[in-house]
Every structure is written in C-alpha cells, then in structure tokens.
Amino acid sequence: MLGINATKQAISQRFKRKKSPATPPVDCDVLIIGAGIAGIGMACRLQQRKPKKQPRKAAKTPPFIVVEKRSDLGGTWDLFTYPGIRSDSDALTFGYSFRPWLDHRMLAAGEDIKRYIADTAREFGVSEHIRYQHEVQQLSWSSRDQRWSATIKNHASGEMSTLSANFVVGATGYYDYEQGYQPYFEKEEDFQGRIVHPQHWQNVDYDDKKVVIIGSGATAMTLLPAIVNKDDGQCVRHVTMLQRSPTYVASVPGDDYALDWLSAKFSPLSKQQAYTLLRTRNVLRQQGVYQFATHAPKVLKALLTHGVKKELKGSGVKVDHFVPAYNPWDERLCAVPDGDLFNALHSKRAAVVTDQISHFTKTGIMLESGKHLDADIIVTATGLKLQMLGGAALYIDGQPVDVGARMTYKAVLVEGVPNMAVLFGYINASWTLKIDLGCQYVVRLLEHMQSHRYQVAVPKAETKHEKVQVQPDTVMGALSAGYVQRAQDELPKQGDRYPWHVTNNYVSDRIMLKYRKIKDDWLRFSR
C-alpha cells in the first residue's frame, strides 16, 4: 500500500504544471514624457477618466506618471525667456477646451501661458504626479511582458532608474531643448561682440547696444519690437532684422473683449458657453484662412501685401521686405498684435534688411551686397534643431526603432510601435487644438482596450487588401519651413491614404479622433 501511494505521488508531481514566475506589476498604467502644454493636457484628460476597477487584494497601479527633464513645467514656455516671448496663435484656441482661457489678450505672453499651464495642473491634481529632472534616455518594449521599460536619469542625484508602464505618451514636442539650430557663419569667431541664440537667452544686456537679429520668423518679429519698446526696462540703441528672404505678416488686434461682452451680466450666455462659441468662431476663422490660402493663394497674397503697405506707410520701409516668393501658408504666417512690428519700424531705432551674409567681422556682419551692419550683439534666430521623444532611444524586443522611418497613424500613433502615442500640434492653427484632440483619442483608445481586455494595440500599414505607401519628403503635413525640411530623417512620415495622411484640418480631425470607431483594419489588438 505504501508503495502504491508513493507511486501515485511521484506521478502527480511529474505531471503537475509548473508555475512561471509572476511578472511584477507595472509602475504606472501610462507614462507621459514631458510636462509642457501637451503633457499636462494628457495628464488632465487621464484625471478626468473613470478609475480602472482592480481586485481588492491587488496593489493599486498609478494611472499615470509624468516625467520632465527640466526643473519646472511649461516646456517651451519655461525654456524661452527672450523679451516679448508670446504665442503666435490666439489665446481662445491656444487654451485647453476643458479649461477656458479667460484672458482678453489675443496673443498671450509666455509667462501668462506658463502660469495657465501650472494653474491647470494644480486644479486637476496633476502636479503631484510630476517627477522633475527625470530624463528618459531609453524606451524598450517587451513583447513577452507586454510593457514598456523606460531608463531614466535623475539629474538632481545623477542616479539611473527604470520605470515600467503599459502605455507611453511622448509629449516632448519636436525640437531639441538643449540646443537650437545655429549654422556656422564664415569668420564668426572674429566677431568681438556677443552671439546669442534666443533659446539660450539669459541676462542679455542690450541697453544702448546695436543689435542684429538674423531671421525672419515669429521669434525675430517678436523680439524686435520688444527690445525697441523697453519690454524689460532696457532700450536698444538700434536693432536690425536681417533676413535672407521675407515672411508673410498680418497685423491682428492685440485684445479681444468679445468674451466679456457675450458673458456680461444681462447676457443669456454663461462664461463657458461664450468661451465655446468664440473658440469655435476662431477655429473656423483659422481653417477658413488656411483653405483660402490653398484655393486662392494669389488673392490672399494681395490682401496681405495691401495690409502691410498700410502699416508701413510713412515709415520709409519698402513693402518688398514682407512679400515672399512662395504662397501664403507654404510656410507659417506670422501674426503681430496691433502692428507692433510695423510701429517699431516707424522709429529710427529699427530697420529690416533683406540680404545674404558674406561673413562676420570684428564689429558686425558684412553682407554680399557690400553693406556692413554694425553690431554689439548678434541674435541668431535661425530656428530649431528637431528631435523625437526628447532624444530617447527606442527599442522593440531589443531591436532599435527609427521613428523617422515610420509613418504616423491618425497623426497620434506610430506605425509598428505598440502602445505608444506621440503628440503633435498643428502647423496652420493653434498647437493645442490638435494636442487636445490627440489626448482625447488616447483616452478613447485606452478605454476601448480596457473594455475589451486588450493588452496591446499596434498600427500596421498593411491589410489583406491594401498597403499604405509612404509619401516621399512629407513630414507634419506639407509645411516647407526650413527647420522642418532639415528634419526629414527625424520626424515620422505620412502615408497616401486615410488614416495615415496628415490633413492639418481641425474639422476632419475632430470627426476622426473623437467620433469614429477605434477599431479598424489598420489597428491590431491582442490579449
């Protein structure tokens, strides 16, 4: 009898299923990289989401963690501190749809934007979820564990650590925060004054100095009137905006009091209703101008040129400095509040020059025309250096992934990359409009995965019946700005059909990201 029992016990042990070691719980459900306007917006949307039900005995997984490599939130609006820094989109559409922007200033100042982001983070309980001075250096996806592992450096302590997450949201923007794009100019080492890039503007003393700003974009057009008009107590002796080619400029009202009027004491509209109405008005206006530029570029060019002529009348400045060779919205159109740029050019302390740089000299810049620009300070407003995911390396099952070689799905997900969203804003409207739609789509995707018990979602560019073709030389839509063209190899590409094509159209994107079904032939789910 004893022998029979021993035999039974041995057989039982032999065929008993071995338990695999339990996978440790993830550190958070969603890892958000970046605490700028995109990262805070994403975190707020997740805070508004209904909490996931978990077993009573299970340790509660944090819904999200935000990691930010800088020492404060704000992103762009914490980094840039040059005089006059402001948005180039109206405040009503630049703010979040879920938290009205009630300031009457049309183009909000940088410090006001940062304060708005910080107030939003506090109001929605996001602040305590942010880990500052934490830089994500590597992201690794494991198909076996079905999770992301982020290698993080703590700049405060110098220590390295790892965070695991089910889903990752890249909210880092698309440019390098460490350095801007600064081309080499011949003999620039001979210049005896100071050379500064706006991205690194710190304690620049320009009082009673001669300044040359190289560039013709929003930064140059913001900086020039600010240093002429004693924005920070200093006053430049003379400033020249030196541009290689012109940019389209339009003067817009500096203030919009329509929100106050529509929500006044005797108005039937509440503040929120008035905000929604005016936000919709501004969205339609932005899209209308863009479509007008697309279908009637010559007409819009004539209207913009006429506006500039009126602004420059009596200044002695030629309108040619603001009439580009390209069509409107081939590159981003610059808006200036109350014509502050043109007002500055009416003074004797500001000028605009369209010419090519020959070389730097000890005292300034020699132009190809033979003219010399004297300078004590040269500001190189020459653009941005672009990168993805804040420079973090990306791996899937140990294999490196080049995001710049992949297509973007609905301009939110990345081809062949599981459980990851990368947030981009618009190039022809307020950045936040697209960010907000992208955040809402991510929440919808997560809820779809939760309700169907999916662990993985990955977009594939091929089905049984069709295959998406990459559109050559196209990133972020059709913008031809120099900083975008320089980054052809860094940014995701777009495909030749829906939903891989980037439309830069708020109305169609709103339908696609908020109302269309999550599941389609391109997005694959697995448990």
Side-chain angles (χ1 to χ4, degrees):
M1 181 67 71
L2 186 63
I4 295 174
N5 289 337
T7 303
K8 286 182 178 180
Q9 193 172 21
I11 295 173
S12 176
Q13 289 294 329
R14 181 179 178 184
F15 288 98
K16 189 175 183 180
R17 180 179 295 177
K18 293 182 179 180
K19 292 184 178 180
S20 58
T23 304
V26 291
D27 296 309
C28 62
D29 190 26
V30 181
L31 176 64
I32 302 171
I33 309 173
I37 198 161
I40 297 302
M42 185 73 253
C44 289
R45 286 292 181 184
L46 290 174
Q47 282 288 67
Q48 299 171 61
R49 181 185 174 204
K50 292 181 180 179
K52 180 180 178 181
K53 293 182 179 180
Q54 296 183 352
R56 291 182 179 180
K57 294 182 180 180
K60 188 175 181 181
T61 302
F64 65 89
I65 292 173
V66 183
V67 290
E68 168 59 54
K69 68 179 178 181
R70 296 177 62 78
S71 58
D72 202 357
L73 55 67
T76 294
W77 309 106
D78 177 58
L79 174 67
F80 285 95
T81 59
Y82 62 82
I85 173 68
R86 67 191 179 212
S87 74
D88 57 355
S89 302
D90 69 276
L92 287 171
T93 57
F94 196 81
Y96 300 117
S97 62
F98 56 83
R99 187 173 183 270
W101 182 293
L102 304 179
D103 197 325
H104 58 80
R105 295 182 65 178
M106 278 285 285
L107 303 182
E111 59 185 13
D112 293 335
I113 296 172
K114 182 180 176 181
R115 189 181 306 112
Y116 170 79
I117 296 171
D119 291 344
T120 304
R122 281 192 296 270
E123 183 178 319
F124 285 82
V126 167
S127 302
E128 55 265 34
H129 295 271
I130 305 174
R131 300 183 183 183
Y132 292 109
Q133 293 186 289
H134 279 56
E135 179 183 2
V136 177
Q137 297 189 332
Q138 181 173 303
L139 289 163
S140 301
W141 170 262
S142 169
S143 296
R144 183 188 65 183
D145 298 332
Q146 295 185 334
R147 63 175 56 179
W148 284 100
S149 177
T151 304
I152 296 175
K153 181 177 182 179
N154 185 331
H155 287 287
S157 65
E159 297 178 352
M160 301 295 294
S161 62
T162 302
L163 271 178
S164 58
N166 294 320
F167 202 97
V168 169
V169 177
T172 59
Y174 61 89
Y175 66 89
D176 187 347
Y177 277 47
E178 300 302 320
Q179 56 182 327
Y181 175 70
Q182 190 153 326
Y184 173 77
F185 296 101
E186 187 177 349
K187 297 184 179 180
E188 67 177 42
E189 61 277 359
D190 291 348
F191 180 58
Q192 295 181 347
R194 180 174 181 181
I195 301 175
V196 59
H197 192 284
Q199 193 165 319
H200 305 288
W201 187 284
Q202 295 292 335
N203 302 317
V204 178
D205 178 13
Y206 59 85
D207 194 34
D208 199 33
K209 300 287 198 307
K210 292 181 180 179
V211 178
V212 174
I213 304 171
I214 302 174
S216 61
T219 300
M221 294 187 187
T222 299
L223 187 55
L224 184 146
I227 63 177
V228 167
N229 297 324
K230 304 181 182 180
D231 187 68
D232 57 0
Q234 301 185 69
C235 185
V236 70
R237 186 192 304 177
H238 190 273
V239 55
T240 301
M241 186 175 81
L242 172 60
Q243 57 182 17
R244 183 173 54 187
S245 57
T247 297
Y248 286 109
V249 187
S251 179
V252 299
D255 298 281
D256 184 358
Y257 292 97
L259 186 64
D260 295 335
W261 299 335
L262 287 176
S263 59
K265 185 176 181 180
F266 300 103
S267 172
L269 298 178
S270 67
K271 208 82 169 178
Q272 177 64 55
Q273 289 172 327
Y275 175 77
T276 302
L277 179 63
L278 292 174
R279 183 180 168 90
T280 303
R281 177 204 67 181
N282 287 7
V283 168
L284 295 176
R285 180 187 292 166
Q286 290 170 1
Q287 293 297 303
V289 171
Y290 184 73
Q291 293 301 321
F292 187 26
T294 302
H295 295 93
K298 291 183 179 179
V299 177
L300 183 56
K301 183 173 183 175
L303 291 173
L304 290 170
T305 303
H306 177 70
V308 171
K309 282 181 179 179
K310 287 179 64 177
E311 294 285 355
L312 291 176
K313 187 176 181 180
S315 67
V317 178
K318 293 182 178 180
V319 72
D320 296 349
H321 294 300
F322 299 97
V323 183
Y326 57 84
N327 287 326
W329 275 120
D330 282 354
E331 295 188 20
R332 195 174 178 94
L333 188 151
C334 286
V336 294
D338 293 327
D340 64 355
L341 172 69
F342 304 115
N343 293 335
L345 291 174
H346 274 272
S347 74
K348 295 180 180 180
R349 290 185 288 114
V352 57
V353 173
T354 305
D355 208 330
Q356 302 280 342
I357 295 174
S358 172
H359 60 272
F360 281 27
T361 67
K362 291 181 179 180
T363 58
I365 299 175
M366 180 61 71
L367 304 176
E368 289 189 355
S369 64
K371 183 178 180 179
H372 187 270
L373 298 179
D374 294 336
D376 300 303
I377 301 171
I378 295 175
V379 182
T380 53
T382 46
L384 307 168
K385 181 182 177 184
L386 273 58
Q387 66 174 194
M388 289 293 298
L389 297 171
L394 189 66
Y395 292 87
I396 295 179
D397 295 328
Q399 299 299 312
V401 175
D402 180 6
V403 176
R406 306 289 179 105
M407 287 181 288
T408 176
Y409 169 85
K410 295 188 176 180
V412 178
L413 308 183
V414 180
E415 173 198 358
V417 180
N419 290 17
M420 175 179 281
V422 180
L423 300 178
F424 282 108
Y426 282 123
I427 53 138
N428 65 337
S430 292
W431 180 263
T432 322
L433 285 175
K434 182 59 176 292
I435 292 296
D436 203 26
L437 289 177
C439 292
Q440 292 179 76
Y441 174 78
V442 171
V443 170
R444 289 182 64 218
L445 174 61
L446 292 173
E447 289 177 344
H448 179 85
M449 294 173 69
Q450 178 184 330
S451 62
H452 292 82
R453 297 184 180 180
Y454 292 128
Q455 276 73 50
V456 181
V458 55
K460 298 286 187 179
E462 186 174 2
T463 68
K464 293 180 180 179
H465 307 291
E466 56 183 329
K467 183 178 181 180
V468 183
Q469 300 296 324
V470 179
Q471 287 193 324
D473 302 325
T474 53
V475 292
M476 294 178 64
L479 192 68
S480 59
Y483 69 92
V484 174
Q485 297 306 311
R486 287 193 300 269
Q488 287 286 339
D489 297 332
E490 300 293 331
L491 299 177
K493 305 298 182 290
Q494 62 172 320
D496 60 352
R497 67 198 70 185
Y498 173 90
W500 301 88
H501 185 71
V502 180
T503 65
N504 281 309
N505 185 303
Y506 178 79
V507 176
S508 62
D509 284 344
R510 184 179 173 85
I511 295 170
M512 174 178 69
L513 296 173
K514 287 194 67 174
Y515 301 111
R516 292 212 173 188
K517 291 182 179 180
I518 291 291
K519 194 168 185 178
D520 62 20
D521 292 339
W522 306 105
L523 191 57
R524 314 291 171 78
F525 294 95
S526 61
R527 297 185 177 89

